[in-house]
Amino acid sequence: MDQLFSTSELQAILKSDTGFNNLLHAMPGNQGDSIRQILLNENVLADLLQLLPETIRAQAEALLKSIFHTPQKAKKLYDECRFMEARKLLNKTISLYSLKPETGDVFLDQACEFVVKRSTALLFNLLGEVEWELGNKETAEKKFQTALTLAREVDDIDTIAKSLYGLGTYYWKLDDFETSLTYNNRALALLSGHEDQWQTQHKVLTNLCGIHADIGQYSQALDYGHKAVSLCEKEQARTSLPISCNNLACLYIQEEAYDSAMDILETGLQAAKEDNALQQEVMILNNMAVCFLRRSPEGRHAETATSLLARALSIVKNTDANSLKALTFFNLGLLSRISGKNQRTKKYFTDAIDIYREIGSRSHQAQALNMLGVHLAASLNDTEGALNAYKKSIDIIETIRGGLVRETFRISYADTVIEPYEKAIDCLLALHRPEEAFVYAERAKSRTLMEFLSDKLIEHTNTPNADDSFSHTTSLLRQIEELQTNLAAVRREKEACFFTRSNQGDFCDMEKQEQDLLDALEKKDRAFTEAYSQLVKKKPETALLIKCAPRMAYDLPVR
């Protein structure tokens, strides 16, 4: 058998392996030191293999080679988007680990079992990522859960944290933000003050950056994003730097800080190219194109964006990277819409929608449906088709929002996905279906939509200022909106006070403020109901325009 590692390489590996060293230290007497000395002898594995019966020697050699080389080889295939090949290699290797080590030494067997189970956990983690990319959601979840079970069996902090991170990423991709935050925060807590030999912490921070951005909590997202990039640079984690840079750049683009976004995307792109990380390269190329498109909506940088997306498409078209294909199709749809290529635009968006539906990426599917609706309405004059696309987008959004437990998350998320509701309401008003429009207004339950609706009310009412009952009713709407804004602010302060363990008296004061605001909201709600009843009697057509509006702003909690 070829020599796997030199003595110096074995020393470096053993020195950095905190989990294995903890196991050796826990062994009684000098058993741990004896095993360490065996492992530091570069010829010991070859000598031990010669003592094995010839019938199992080949299988043992295959297992050892797999332990040392498979994870790196499979990860390389994964980075190159060769997911089918990676899956085949991983499954073949995992089957080898079914062998129970029996050396005749109970402590050496214990050490071997630790290494085998931990290696299997890492392989299952990577296999979960592969299955996700191939569109097998249920299978991917089983692989991640198996990895966590094995990690807990060997009680290795690094492996447990890596498995928690894998599950956190999985649930984030499914838009189950609450579950994803739970797993990622558990991983972060485990790694706090720990050596973190596999550099998982900055990956978790990157996840937290993306999740908080998706639910509209941009200040927290920026904080996590900066921490992730700084940690990557501090630890010289070149393999993780591209995605950390990419996620932070997305926040800069959101804030229209395009120069900052391009600078950090260039840094990430360089790192991705150095490691031949094709997935990250495609992601960054797409976001560079988005940056140029957002910077000049009139299309001044369309040629540059076209070049970037062409490079991205040339990478993914012969790979198994369906999620990246969908992303590139979506951005090509945005680009072709600017260029006035209407039918091509529709096909790009439709192709992206189909892929996102297949792989279970709901938030991206909703976004693509929304843009298809915008295109159908503005470029093809297909109001009914646009409305249908908006309705499908809203159905997905409300499924995602229904999975958010914390009210602060529901409120912030609702304000990030308001456009399909606005567009659907515009379509319904254009189709002379105001009652249905206000059904969607109520479903939105967003503070942002309140102002939008107030403008629509005035726009679609002939002489609102001349009607005292109408003015009184809309005034109550504004008051409800102001109370709801104040309530949200108090709840944010209360939550911050709780997590920072601030003065108990301050917390009690905030609870009283919260209750006072809830009482005031109930009173205003009753006043609105009465005012609306009077308006119905005097001017039913006008009343129809503000039906159900107050309920959009808040949901009273059960006391």
Side-chain angles (χ1 to χ4, degrees):
M1 179 177 176
D2 296 335
Q3 180 177 305
L4 292 170
F5 294 104
S6 66
T7 299
S8 59
E9 288 173 323
L10 286 167
Q11 287 175 334
I13 292 170
L14 196 56
K15 182 179 179 181
S16 64
D17 195 335
T18 54
F20 190 67
N21 278 313
N22 289 338
L23 175 72
L24 297 182
H25 287 313
M27 291 180 176
N30 61 354
Q31 294 296 330
D33 290 335
S34 298
I35 292 173
R36 185 179 285 106
Q37 291 306 313
I38 291 173
L39 294 174
L40 289 176
N41 186 336
E42 62 189 66
N43 299 314
V44 72
L45 290 177
D47 293 340
L48 287 173
L49 285 169
Q50 292 303 315
L51 299 176
L52 294 174
E54 189 174 347
T55 53
I56 64 171
R57 189 183 305 156
Q59 192 172 14
E61 288 186 358
L63 178 59
L64 287 169
K65 287 181 179 179
S66 171
I67 287 174
F68 291 117
H69 298 306
T70 295
Q72 294 84 354
K73 187 174 180 181
K75 183 64 168 61
K76 185 173 184 295
L77 290 169
Y78 176 81
D79 287 338
E80 294 173 356
C81 305
R82 295 159 64 184
F83 303 126
M84 296 293 288
E85 294 175 66
R87 180 169 66 178
K88 183 177 179 181
L89 176 63
L90 289 165
N91 280 324
K92 180 180 178 181
T93 304
I94 287 171
S95 68
L96 292 173
Y97 287 114
S98 60
L99 282 174
K100 185 175 175 143
E102 294 181 359
T103 65
D105 183 310
V106 63
F107 296 107
L108 186 56
D109 284 349
Q110 186 181 349
C112 290
E113 183 179 11
F114 176 91
V115 172
V116 167
K117 281 192 174 181
R118 189 177 65 174
S119 298
T120 309
L122 297 175
L123 293 172
F124 270 112
N125 262 316
L126 184 53
L127 187 56
E129 294 182 27
V130 168
E131 293 291 357
W132 164 265
E133 291 294 345
L134 292 172
N136 304 318
K137 299 187 292 293
E138 293 80 8
T139 304
E141 182 180 18
K142 290 177 183 176
K143 303 303 181 187
F144 285 124
Q145 292 289 359
T146 301
L148 182 58
T149 299
L150 289 166
R152 284 175 170 160
E153 285 178 8
V154 296
D155 195 26
D156 179 57
I157 289 177
D158 289 288
T159 315
I160 294 171
K162 197 171 185 68
S163 300
L164 290 169
Y165 159 74
L167 279 163
T169 306
Y170 169 78
Y171 283 109
W172 178 25
K173 290 176 179 177
L174 286 178
D175 307 297
D176 186 347
F177 301 123
E178 294 275 2
T179 306
S180 179
L181 283 170
T182 297
Y183 279 114
N184 279 290
N185 282 319
R186 284 179 185 171
L188 196 62
L190 269 181
L191 294 169
S192 178
H194 185 70
E195 192 171 332
D196 189 18
Q197 65 169 322
W198 292 324
Q199 298 181 326
T200 305
Q201 189 172 11
H202 52 254
K203 297 175 183 176
V204 175
L205 290 169
T206 297
N207 271 9
L208 291 170
C209 166
I211 296 163
H212 281 281
D214 281 351
I215 59 179
Q217 298 190 323
Y218 294 111
S219 60
Q220 295 97 319
L222 272 170
D223 183 45
Y224 283 123
H226 284 295
K227 286 179 179 177
V229 172
S230 296
L231 194 57
C232 282
E233 293 174 338
K234 179 182 176 181
E235 297 181 348
Q236 297 183 331
R238 296 293 291 175
T239 57
S240 299
L241 186 60
I243 191 168
S244 297
C245 290
N246 180 77
N247 285 10
L248 183 56
C250 287
L251 294 174
Y252 286 143
I253 294 172
Q254 187 72 24
E255 297 297 318
E256 300 182 1
Y258 301 119
D259 289 339
S260 297
M262 285 302 298
D263 285 344
I264 200 162
L265 285 170
E266 288 286 0
T267 300
L269 183 62
Q270 181 63 31
K273 285 181 174 179
E274 287 175 3
D275 286 340
N276 196 33
L278 298 184
Q279 286 198 79
Q280 305 312 327
E281 184 176 349
V282 170
M283 182 73 72
I284 291 171
L285 289 170
N286 268 275
N287 283 321
M288 283 180 161
V290 169
C291 194
F292 281 111
L293 292 174
R294 290 279 295 272
R295 174 178 273 170
S296 59
E298 73 282 0
R300 281 189 296 111
H301 295 295
E303 187 175 340
T304 304
T306 300
S307 175
L308 291 165
L309 291 175
R311 283 167 59 192
L313 191 61
S314 69
I315 293 172
V316 300
K317 65 182 180 181
N318 294 318
T319 71
D320 306 315
N322 291 327
S323 60
L324 295 177
K325 287 178 185 176
L327 174 66
T328 308
F329 287 150
F330 176 80
N331 287 325
L332 283 167
L334 296 177
L335 180 61
S336 62
R337 184 167 179 265
I338 290 173
S339 305
K341 300 172 181 177
N342 293 339
Q343 292 305 318
R344 183 177 295 182
T345 300
K346 182 178 178 180
K347 185 175 187 330
Y348 278 136
F349 286 144
T350 302
D351 287 347
I353 290 165
D354 290 343
I355 294 174
Y356 283 136
R357 182 190 301 112
E358 180 182 346
I359 65 177
S361 187
R362 296 177 298 170
S363 61
H364 292 106
Q365 184 186 348
Q367 184 182 20
L369 281 162
N370 178 59
M371 285 311 304
L372 175 62
V374 170
H375 176 64
L376 292 174
S379 302
L380 300 179
N381 297 317
D382 183 0
T383 306
E384 283 285 3
L387 178 60
N388 185 50
Y390 295 136
K391 285 183 175 181
K392 289 179 180 178
S393 178
I394 289 168
D395 287 343
I396 295 170
I397 287 166
E398 292 180 353
T399 300
I400 295 171
R401 188 174 64 193
L404 296 173
V405 178
R406 280 171 273 191
E407 185 178 4
T408 51
F409 287 179
R410 291 198 301 269
I411 291 171
S412 58
Y413 175 71
D415 282 345
T416 67
V417 289
I418 198 64
E419 186 174 7
Y421 291 93
E422 294 179 348
K423 298 296 185 182
I425 289 167
D426 274 336
C427 286
L428 288 163
L429 291 175
L431 293 168
H432 309 293
R433 290 150 63 179
E435 271 195 332
E436 192 176 349
F438 276 92
V439 169
Y440 277 92
E442 184 180 43
R443 285 171 63 175
K445 297 191 182 299
S446 163
R447 298 191 310 271
T448 304
L449 195 56
M450 179 64 73
E451 293 184 8
F452 172 80
L453 280 173
S454 297
D455 293 339
K456 290 293 177 186
L457 298 179
I458 295 172
E459 180 183 329
H460 286 83
T461 306
N462 293 328
T463 56
N465 294 328
D467 190 320
D468 289 340
S469 56
F470 179 87
S471 297
H472 178 53
T473 307
T474 53
S475 174
L476 287 168
L477 286 176
R478 294 288 190 184
Q479 292 173 50
I480 288 171
E481 162 66 7
E482 184 178 353
L483 285 169
Q484 174 61 20
T485 301
N486 293 337
L487 177 62
V490 168
R491 282 175 168 166
R492 283 195 297 271
E493 290 180 23
K494 179 182 167 186
E495 184 175 299
C497 183
F498 175 79
F499 284 114
T500 57
R501 302 294 190 269
S502 298
N503 187 288
Q504 185 63 29
D506 292 341
F507 187 80
C508 293
D509 288 342
M510 291 174 197
E511 282 199 317
K512 186 178 183 306
Q513 291 177 42
E514 180 183 27
Q515 189 59 57
D516 289 344
L517 286 166
L518 286 170
D519 291 341
L521 278 167
E522 286 188 287
K523 290 178 182 177
K524 290 297 179 186
D525 187 45
R526 289 195 296 270
F528 173 82
T529 301
E530 177 61 29
Y532 177 73
S533 298
Q534 294 299 319
L535 185 59
V536 168
K537 294 176 183 177
K538 292 183 178 181
K539 198 170 182 182
E541 292 181 0
T542 300
L544 183 64
L545 292 172
I546 54 178
K547 185 178 181 181
C548 303
R551 295 292 180 182
M552 295 179 291
Y554 63 93
D555 287 316
L556 291 175
V558 177
R559 296 188 184 178

